[in-house]
Amino acid sequence: MSRGSKPLATFPVRIGAQRLRVAVGGEPRAERTLLLFNGIGASVETMAPFMAQFTRTRVVTFDAPGVGESPAPLLPYRPRDVAQLGADLLAQLDARDAHVFGVSWGGAIAQEFAINHRRRCQTLTLAATCAGIVMVPGRLNVLLKMLSPRRYTDPAYLMQIGGDLYGGELRLESELLQLHAESMRSPSRHGYLYQLLATAGWTSWPRLNRIEAPALVLMGEDDPIVPPINGRILASGLRRATLETVDCGHLFVLTRAAQTARRVEAFMDQHAGVA
């Protein structure tokens, strides 16, 4: 995570009744595309440092409904609905298929994409995520803090709880946490509630074996939100899984942005034309 990441190119896209703010980073002219699904409450700005590390891949992401500049819909939605938005967005960008990456809450969306759009998913990378209700939960005092979007609206509160919430380097590196706080945009309470409701009672566990794409499962060794054992649960249900741990916490995608991006690009290279 560093200052000076090149700004993301953002633009609005309308898919049916839903307006999305889309961001493109990495190498915009690259032949391959990585579709990135972000964590709960997080706007595209939080992923800018990570997206900037990709040198041979176009990275596409968007504000989930109710986050950033994507308005909340009238009715609640489920993970498969956001996955469908991702598939429709790829069609608008003339991308027949894509590599798919999901972090934390976005991991549920990525799994739904890989299940419901199998022919369009070349590889799947799941970072700091789980199979939904079939999981080993994190610490209760940490999970309770996740019920509120306050960390997005109150930077002082984030600085107070961020180390215990996210673990890893952020326990000690207040400057890294400050950079994360500066990049965030507050979700609407309405939108954050819809994100919580989207994954309430959700699980991918009985359907993981439908995923045909090679999968890379990355877990933080010191993750208070999603303990690393959940990576083993995911990998055991996937047909073609590679499980690895990162010596960091829940936000290793940002604290170890360059390392993570290199690993994902290497995984895509390894499975080029195989899926």
Side-chain angles (χ1 to χ4, degrees), residues 126-175:
L126 301 172
T129 193
C130 66
I133 59 172
V134 180
M135 72 171 294
V136 176
R139 301 171 192 167
L140 180 60
N141 65 327
V142 168
L143 297 180
L144 289 174
K145 293 182 176 68
M146 297 290 291
L147 295 177
S148 165
R150 183 181 172 188
R151 66 192 182 281
Y152 290 105
T153 61
D154 185 349
Y157 177 69
L158 176 64
M159 295 301 295
Q160 175 187 341
I161 69 162
D164 290 336
L165 182 66
Y166 296 125
E169 294 180 16
L170 296 181
R171 293 188 188 278
L172 302 173
E173 297 289 343
S174 59
E175 183 178 357

Side-chain angles (χ1 to χ4, degrees), residues 5-264:
S5 296
K6 56 186 178 182
L8 292 173
T10 65
F11 50 92
V13 169
R14 182 168 290 278
I15 298 174
Q18 179 67 53
R19 180 168 57 83
L20 296 176
R21 182 175 63 146
V22 176
V24 176
E27 176 45 65
R29 293 165 294 186
E31 292 185 2
R32 68 183 175 193
T33 297
L34 179 69
L35 177 62
L36 188 158
F37 295 108
N38 208 346
I40 189 168
S43 63
V44 297
E45 286 83 3
T46 62
M47 283 291 108
F50 178 57
M51 295 167 70
Q53 303 301 320
F54 286 83
T55 59
R56 295 173 288 112
T57 308
R58 174 177 68 161
V59 185
V60 175
T61 190
F62 58 90
D63 287 339
V67 175
E69 295 181 19
S70 294
L74 293 176
L75 299 174
Y77 55 83
R78 300 295 284 170
R80 64 178 176 271
D81 300 317
V82 187
Q84 184 63 56
L85 289 174
D88 292 341
L89 173 61
L90 289 177
Q92 289 207 22
L93 298 177
D94 295 323
R96 183 180 62 84
D97 48 30
H99 301 266
V100 177
F101 184 103
V103 57
S104 194
W105 182 89
I109 315 302
Q111 290 170 67
E112 286 291 339
F113 187 101
I115 291 168
N116 295 301
H117 305 279
R118 283 173 283 180
R119 295 182 182 276
R120 303 186 66 185
C121 184
Q122 294 178 287
T123 66
L124 173 67
T125 300
L126 301 172
T129 193
C130 66
I133 59 172
V134 180
M135 72 171 294
V136 176
R139 301 171 192 167
L140 180 60
N141 65 327
V142 168
L143 297 180
L144 289 174
K145 293 182 176 68
M146 297 290 291
L147 295 177
S148 165
R150 183 181 172 188
R151 66 192 182 281
Y152 290 105
T153 61
D154 185 349
Y157 177 69
L158 176 64
M159 295 301 295
Q160 175 187 341
I161 69 162
D164 290 336
L165 182 66
Y166 296 125
E169 294 180 16
L170 296 181
R171 293 188 188 278
L172 302 173
E173 297 289 343
S174 59
E175 183 178 357
L176 290 177
L177 194 57
Q178 182 64 42
L179 287 174
H180 182 54
E182 291 173 359
S183 72
M184 295 193 305
R185 301 183 62 172
S186 174
S188 69
R189 291 188 176 276
H190 186 190
Y192 194 84
L193 175 62
Y194 274 6
Q195 285 191 288
L196 288 173
L197 291 174
T199 52
W202 172 87
T203 184
S204 61
W205 177 250
R207 301 172 293 140
L208 284 174
N209 63 358
R210 300 184 195 175
I211 296 176
E212 298 174 353
L216 173 63
V217 181
L218 300 173
M219 305 297 293
E221 290 184 359
D222 177 27
D223 187 341
I225 299 173
V226 187
I229 190 174
N230 290 289
R232 291 166 58 186
I233 295 172
L234 278 172
S236 69
L238 291 162
R239 293 186 188 181
R240 304 161 65 189
T242 300
L243 172 63
E244 298 177 8
T245 58
V246 180
D247 182 20
C248 199
H250 189 69
L251 292 186
F252 64 83
V253 166
L254 301 180
T255 58
R256 304 285 179 84
Q259 172 188 336
T260 306
R262 285 196 301 270
R263 181 64 189 98
V264 175

